[in-house]
Amino acid sequence: AQRVTQPEKLLSVFKGAPVELKCNYSYSGSPELFWYVQYSRQRLQLLLRHISRESIKGFTADLNKGETSFHLKKPFAQEEDSAMYYCALSGLAGGTSYGKLTFGQGTILTVHP
Amino acid sequence: DTGVSQDPRHKITKRGQNVTFRCDPISEHNRLYWYRQTLGQGPEFLTYFQNEAQLEKSRLLSDRFSAERPKGSFSTLEIQRTEQGDSAMYLCASSFSSFSYNEQFFGPGTRLTVL
């Protein structure tokens, strides 16, 4: 079974402060991890994925298989980062993704001026 | 192509009625997914298609729910004999299956309210 846990429903920080959104997962195979973001009145969109190991809008996330975590981090939060963030997992087999995503409950990030 | 589209955006119905939603994926995408999202929760997987074949269905998908993708392009999700517990946002997503990763592009959703 696949499971994704985001322990914080709400997270508030001030502009310029570091931010970390936590994500833990449970999966018996090889996971593919993602962070999706939903800004106010917009559709859900991909922020980043662990395979590409890239930084998007200043956010990074490292897959820690030992701790089964994929925390999202940004050293200096901006007001425009305020949004709902979802961590999601998909299974991998032979390099081909299984397809379906299992989402966490989401964390609402509010960045105050 | 402006992305994944869904129709209608909002649907209000009375308990016991049937409803049908449509999803048009990004044109070159061969995979299409349906998710359901209730208040305060993340999206939950319902079913997905690769081309016209329905490859997986969640246990959440009771026999009142049926999905089709007849020509491997658009898809419909029908709910028969709606119940108040069916009230939710229904999301559609599409992707192009590849050997490396599976980025899904989401539509705006159809919000269903069952009175």
Side-chain angles (χ1 to χ4, degrees), chain B:
Chain B
D1 192 342
T2 57
V4 178
S5 61
Q6 292 186 245
D7 185 69
R9 295 290 305 276
H10 303 273
K11 179 70 178 178
I12 299 173
T13 191
K14 293 182 179 179
R15 190 177 53 176
Q17 298 295 304
N18 299 344
V19 294
T20 300
F21 309 141
R22 178 181 169 120
C23 171
D24 286 88
I26 293 171
S27 57
E28 63 268 25
H29 285 180
N30 59 347
R31 284 188 178 176
L32 186 148
Y33 309 80
W34 286 100
Y35 294 86
R36 180 172 65 187
Q37 185 173 23
T38 53
L39 199 61
Q41 302 295 319
E44 294 177 298
F45 170 77
L46 293 178
T47 187
Y48 91 94
F49 295 83
Q50 180 150 318
N51 301 312
E52 61 274 10
Q54 189 173 18
L55 296 189
E56 187 173 352
K57 291 168 57 173
S58 165
R59 285 169 292 177
L60 292 174
L61 213 63
S62 78
D63 56 8
R64 296 185 297 106
F65 288 69
S66 62
E68 294 182 342
R69 194 182 183 198
K71 297 182 180 179
S73 57
F74 73 92
S75 175
T76 58
L77 177 68
E78 181 183 16
I79 309 174
Q80 295 183 328
R81 305 181 302 281
T82 52
E83 301 172 357
Q84 287 185 324
D86 297 331
S87 295
M89 177 74 86
Y90 290 83
L91 296 170
C92 176
S94 70
S95 73
F96 184 75
S97 61
S98 74
F99 293 109
S100 57
Y101 61 85
N102 171 36
E103 177 176 355
Q104 296 184 21
F105 294 81
F106 283 80
T110 294
R111 182 170 295 284
L112 173 66
T113 302
V114 181
L115 302 176

Side-chain angles (χ1 to χ4, degrees), chain A residues 47-63:
Chain A
L47 179 63
L48 54 78
R49 49 189 172 258
H50 91 269
I51 286 178
S52 56
R53 303 178 69 83
E54 57 195 347
S55 173
I56 303 292
K57 299 184 179 182
F59 284 98
T60 59
D62 291 317
L63 179 60

